[in-house]
Amino acid sequence: MDRHAGWLADMAEVVTKGTGEVERTADRAQVDVTFEALGAERSEAVSTLNQRISAIEPLLEEFEVRSRQLSAHDNWDNNQRVGSRASQQYVIWVKDLDRLDALLGELVQAEPSWINGPSWTLVDDTEAIREAQREAVADALRRAEGYASALGRRLGPLLRIGDTEGGAHYQPRMMSGAASFEMAGPAGMVDQLNLKAQQITVSASCTAAWSLLD
């Protein structure tokens, strides 16, 4: 081992973790809705379901439908078949948030079996994640400088850095008074639910190792 390699092997280091958070206003809403129909046979249930959603499909052409999922199955009671049920599940993305209330109102008027939303996301989270990562690195550096000062040492170069478990992620910030659309009631009350875009908390975390100098 040469002298330089030996110096690297003996070099002290400090390892710190850093976290960073930023907030952004959501610019995309997701609505999940399910329509169901019953019939004596599965084919009858599917046919009735098609009639129910026929008025909804033209409305959804104006939005981004991320998925449509059809399900048809028999109903059973005490090992006796008692008809069939068919359902169609939609996942809808809304980027023009000014149209969200109108969409929800139309969906409620169509009497779905289940509706949930909006849940809030960002169309592009790249810039927010990078800012949160910068905050995380700065936090790790401040911690490392504090340890070096406590030891009477100087902080040397960065040796390595990586995400901690989970890396970067974001989630809606809980807001007091926010209403759940599952409890909307009559369609005419949609505009009273204060379904405004929520703040999204974007967070990042990292682990960094720094050399310690005399």
Side-chain angles (χ1 to χ4, degrees):
M1 180 183 296
D2 60 28
R3 293 179 59 188
H4 179 68
W7 176 80
L8 287 175
D10 296 334
M11 183 175 56
E13 64 180 47
V14 58
V15 179
T16 56
K17 293 183 179 180
T19 59
E21 287 188 352
V22 297
E23 286 192 350
R24 295 290 184 271
T25 302
D27 54 7
R28 179 171 60 201
Q30 177 175 312
V31 178
D32 302 284
V33 61
T34 300
F35 292 90
E36 293 182 326
L38 300 176
E41 305 291 340
R42 277 175 285 182
S43 58
E44 180 183 340
V46 171
S47 177
T48 303
L49 176 64
N50 284 333
Q51 295 176 17
R52 292 203 60 195
I53 65 176
S54 62
I56 289 299
E57 285 293 339
L59 171 67
L60 298 183
E61 291 177 359
E62 304 177 16
F63 298 92
E64 184 176 354
V65 179
R66 296 296 295 175
S67 70
R68 291 176 173 84
Q69 185 174 358
L70 173 66
S71 174
H73 60 86
D74 293 332
N75 291 329
W76 296 85
D77 184 15
N78 293 325
N79 295 322
Q80 295 286 331
R81 195 178 72 83
V82 289
S84 300
R85 180 186 303 268
S87 65
Q88 177 97 324
Q89 299 176 350
Y90 296 89
V91 176
I92 307 164
W93 278 2
V94 182
K95 296 180 183 178
D96 184 355
L97 299 184
D98 290 336
R99 303 175 64 190
L100 179 60
D101 283 355
L103 170 64
L104 293 174
E106 292 282 353
L107 290 175
V108 171
Q109 287 181 356
E111 295 291 338
S113 299
W114 182 82
I115 184 169
N116 185 51
S119 53
W120 301 100
T121 60
L122 297 171
V123 172
D124 186 355
D125 60 6
T126 303
E127 181 274 333
I129 288 177
R130 287 179 178 172
E131 183 173 340
Q133 289 172 326
R134 287 192 292 268
E135 292 286 342
V137 172
D139 182 42
L141 176 59
R142 285 192 295 268
R143 294 173 185 270
E145 290 172 337
Y147 285 119
S149 176
L151 293 170
R153 306 281 289 272
R154 292 182 296 118
L155 192 66
L158 175 69
L159 301 177
R160 59 186 178 275
I161 188 171
D163 284 335
T164 59
E165 185 176 354
H169 65 278
Y170 64 90
Q171 61 184 9
R173 178 167 59 84
M174 297 305 295
M175 300 176 63
S176 60
S180 170
F181 193 69
E182 291 177 289
M183 303 172 62
M189 297 178 63
V190 169
D191 59 356
Q192 301 176 26
L193 292 181
N194 193 30
L195 299 176
K196 304 300 181 183
Q198 293 186 12
Q199 293 296 107
I200 301 292
T201 299
V202 182
S203 62
S205 57
C206 68
T207 299
W210 319 77
S211 61
L212 284 175
L213 306 179
D214 294 334

